[in-house]
Amino acid sequence: MDRTEDPLRRYQAPAPELQVKIDSKNYALCSSCVLYARGEWEAAINSTGVAVTFDPTEWLPHYLKGLSLFELGKHEEAGRALEQAVRAAPAVADPHAWLGRAYGRLGHRPDAIRELSIALEIDPRFLAACYLRGTLLCHILRREGIDD
């Protein structure tokens, strides 16, 4: 696919009667998801910026921006975006888990454990959050000389 081509073009239904009309906000969100999945994180960040202009209180653009920044290694910026996502949707597990990952990368282990624990309270079957929290706890215990 040509990189300048519209990221959603290939996903459009061939028959006009089957096509769904997507408003600008949802188009920007869908574009962000596609760009993130393709590993085009800078472009995904730009697209989330467009989505935020439609509704700054929506959690998903902040979440997608945080994921993209995390993938680029910009963990501090990712943390800020993910904090906005958590404020906008405190009952959604994924932003808490990724915020925990960002805090962990920044060396803020107690904050990371707190966010991962919140993610597990929301969704006890969230295996990635369970694994990351356990890894951080083991690291802290080893650092303090408690190996039991």
Side-chain angles (χ1 to χ4, degrees):
M1 180 167 107
D2 178 12
R3 293 291 185 190
T4 61
E5 183 182 335
D6 181 341
L8 294 180
R9 184 180 178 101
R10 77 161 76 171
Y11 301 104
Q12 293 176 347
E17 65 274 8
L18 297 177
Q19 291 185 3
V20 176
K21 294 193 182 205
I22 301 175
D23 64 29
S24 298
K25 174 188 155 194
N26 288 328
Y27 186 84
L29 287 172
C30 290
S31 295
S32 299
C33 289
V34 170
L35 292 164
Y36 175 80
R38 288 181 11 196
E40 297 180 33
W41 300 306
E42 291 286 350
I45 292 167
N46 293 335
S47 186
T48 61
V50 172
V52 166
T53 62
F54 291 100
D55 184 1
T57 64
E58 172 73 39
W59 72 275
L60 191 54
H62 298 293
Y63 175 68
L64 291 169
K65 180 179 180 180
L67 294 183
S68 298
L69 288 164
F70 187 92
E71 295 292 350
L72 290 169
K74 299 177 179 180
H75 301 116
E76 197 166 318
E77 291 177 63
R80 286 193 293 271
L82 292 163
E83 286 168 351
Q84 289 180 299
V86 164
R87 278 193 298 276
V92 179
D94 288 53
H96 287 284
W98 278 90
L99 180 55
R101 286 191 76 189
Y103 284 157
R105 289 286 172 95
L106 292 169
H108 306 306
R109 289 185 176 85
D111 294 329
I113 291 168
R114 183 192 68 238
E115 289 301 325
L116 292 164
S117 296
I118 292 169
L120 286 169
E121 287 174 21
I122 295 167
D123 183 358
R125 295 173 293 168
F126 199 150
L127 296 179
C130 184
Y131 170 78
L132 291 168
R133 185 181 70 164
T135 302
L136 284 167
L137 288 169
C138 287
H139 177 78
I140 289 170
L141 293 174
R142 268 191 239 116
R143 190 182 71 216
E144 293 179 5
I146 303 169
D147 290 338
D148 306 79

